[in-house]
Amino acid sequence: MASTLPVPIEFELPDGWHAAPPDDVGAADAAFVALYPHADSGFTANITIDGEYRPDESTLSEIAHESVERLRQAATTVVVTGDRELGSAEAPGFTQTLAVSANVGGAPRELLQSQVYLAMLDDDDPRKRAVVRLVLTATASQHPAVLDDFRDFVRTVRPDSAATS
């Protein structure tokens, strides 16, 4: 069953991308999934969103490393090819790029993942922290073609100011 986010967010999908029910596309841990309209060698590039409350002292870099370790349990190989902090103290973020070799749908795949971690802090108590993870997964050959779409998408993600708590 699809997960829910710890905080409401809003965003805009890039042109052509369409939402898909997480359970229907095998992404039960995701709260949201968007699919690219053109598959590459039988693999459809996708954007997933998930998140959790993280009131602990872990840095976004450490949380990203935890994600890599979980992915290593399901993939043949996972290599971090780049990472960096982004944002500000009030709106911290972290990004990492992974090269992933995995068996997907019965076929070996060489994939690239671009992951963005956004910390959303409670205005009254910054120790109350939710971390939202945005992930682009694409074949290594298609990744350059969809990366700008993902960057555009990330720029639109923000707390949903219309949501009630």
Side-chain angles (χ1 to χ4, degrees):
M1 182 170 170
S3 69
T4 58
L5 292 175
V7 293
I9 62 171
E10 56 186 10
F11 52 84
E12 296 173 28
L13 284 178
D15 288 340
W17 290 75
H18 65 278
D23 290 331
D24 291 357
V25 295
D29 291 340
F32 180 83
V33 175
L35 302 175
Y36 189 65
H38 309 290
D40 179 39
S41 302
F43 184 85
T44 303
N46 60 80
I47 295 171
T48 60
I49 304 173
D50 62 31
E52 62 184 333
Y53 281 109
R54 290 299 299 252
D56 61 313
E57 297 293 321
S58 296
T59 65
L60 291 178
S61 173
E62 291 167 338
I63 293 169
H65 181 72
E66 292 170 10
S67 176
V68 169
E69 292 308 311
R70 283 190 305 274
L71 187 56
R72 282 189 172 131
Q73 295 175 12
T76 307
T77 61
V78 178
V79 176
V80 178
T81 61
D83 62 20
R84 69 183 173 89
E85 291 186 23
L86 52 98
S88 63
E90 297 78 32
F94 186 82
T95 183
Q96 67 182 1
T97 304
L98 311 175
V100 180
S101 296
N103 192 351
V104 180
R109 303 276 182 194
E110 296 301 319
L111 305 172
L112 288 179
Q113 270 195 0
S114 295
Q115 299 182 345
V116 176
Y117 295 80
L118 302 174
M120 296 188 178
L121 309 175
D122 185 291
D123 288 335
D124 298 324
D125 184 356
R127 292 172 296 169
K128 294 180 182 174
R129 174 181 67 160
V131 175
V132 174
R133 181 175 70 147
L134 316 167
V135 180
L136 168 68
T137 305
T139 61
S141 61
Q142 193 174 43
H143 190 265
V146 296
L147 184 57
D148 283 342
D149 281 355
F150 182 65
R151 288 177 176 150
D152 291 344
F153 164 75
V154 169
R155 281 191 277 277
T156 71
V157 175
R158 61 197 166 277
D160 186 351
S161 57
T164 57
S165 41

